[in-house]
Amino acid sequence: MTEVRREVFGQMPQEEGGGVVEKFILKSDSVKVEILSLGCIIAALETKDRDGKFSDVVLGFDTLEGYTRKHPFFGAVVGRVANRIAKGRFTVEGKEYQLFLNNGPNSLHGGARGFDKVLWSPQIVPNGICFFRLSPDGEEGFPGDLKVWVTYTLSSGELAINYRAQTSKTTPISLTNHAYFNLAGQGSRDIYDHEISIQADSYLPVDDTKIPTGEVATVQGTGFDLRQPVELGKHLQKFHLDGFDHNFCLEQAPTRRLVARARHPPTGRAMEVHTTQPGIQFYTGNNLDGSLKGKGAIAYPKHSAFCLETQNWPDAVNQPHFPSSLLRPGEEYNHTTYFLFSTA
């Protein structure tokens, strides 16, 4: 059985509406996860190592103040559209929409005030917590009233995140969670001793603003071939890579499947990612630079965490040969991602 508790985490600043932010603690025999009603943020996630010792394996902050200041989406649900939209512009049913540009010439993770920066309405459910919000027509430039439900459930070593949405007008949508993991424990210096594998035969090359060029490239014979586990530090050196920030193209099937695995041999901690989504963004914390102090006042330097963000392909709304990101009235967006924590 999973124990579910709630407590007050803090209060939003007056200029942000001043609402109360709650923290929900989900606890099983092997995992403890803390989730905030602000941005559905995973603020802590404790798992056991091979000796049974618990450590928090996600980056974040000890207090609400850290999350209300600028930070790189630690642990948050991002939307209405995760990742980048080229020039913040797209056309739906003959109408052009212009979004706020918050990532160089592009729009990233929903814009200036995306789903990560707002309070959600929580409801405790068996083994978990369901968050709801209505994203009004025109919010951040997107069309349609969008009802969104994000449900976290914990069962033994498996954390499931289900995303559902319904719209009043056709809109692009792609939802993910932006947790930053370090299986050695958050605050550890780097992730070079982690083993990573991703079940993808192709990936999306990007231009210098991180927008996909449109090519769907094979991973075969490149540094993007992660179908067999690689030790990350050695792999980056071998292929002269500064890190990853790329979408890997998954098998196009609406069913749950294993898509990625991370393992930290020194502690024995392992994590599997299963999803129904068509893509996964693998990001190695390239933009962390030590300037942010996280939990325990520890600095988070470059490559001190990784993200495995299950989602639709970046800029899909502008690339007709990518999986469609459009949700129409009468349809339901429904995707689930599962994180399985174990020791090996």
Side-chain angles (χ1 to χ4, degrees), residues 191-192 223 230-244 282 284 286 303:
I191 47 172
Y192 299 141
V230 302
E231 188 179 315
L232 201 53
K234 286 180 181 162
H235 185 81
L236 292 177
Q237 275 185 319
K238 178 182 173 184
F239 288 94
H240 307 290
L241 296 169
D242 184 50
F244 289 94
F282 179 37
T284 49
N286 314 328
H303 295 162

Side-chain angles (χ1 to χ4, degrees), residues 77-95:
V77 165
V78 291
R80 188 177 291 197
V81 174
N83 216 302
R84 292 169 180 86
I85 294 176
K87 300 183 175 58
R89 201 180 298 146
F90 61 90
T91 300
V92 170
E93 294 175 349
K95 185 172 179 199

Side-chain angles (χ1 to χ4, degrees), residues 8 90 96 104 113 170 241 292:
V8 172
F90 61 90
E96 187 176 276
R113 192 166 184 265
T170 301
L241 296 169
L292 275 179

Side-chain angles (χ1 to χ4, degrees), residues 79-80 115 132-137 139 142-149 164-169 171-173 175 327 333:
R80 188 177 291 197
F115 289 6
F132 170 78
R133 80 174 296 252
L134 172 67
S135 170
D137 185 12
E139 181 177 64
F142 288 100
D145 287 330
L146 187 76
K147 293 178 178 172
V148 191
W149 296 264
R164 286 174 51 226
Q166 298 162 359
T167 186
S168 65
K169 291 180 187 170
T171 181
I173 180 172
L175 303 176
L327 178 69
Y333 176 91

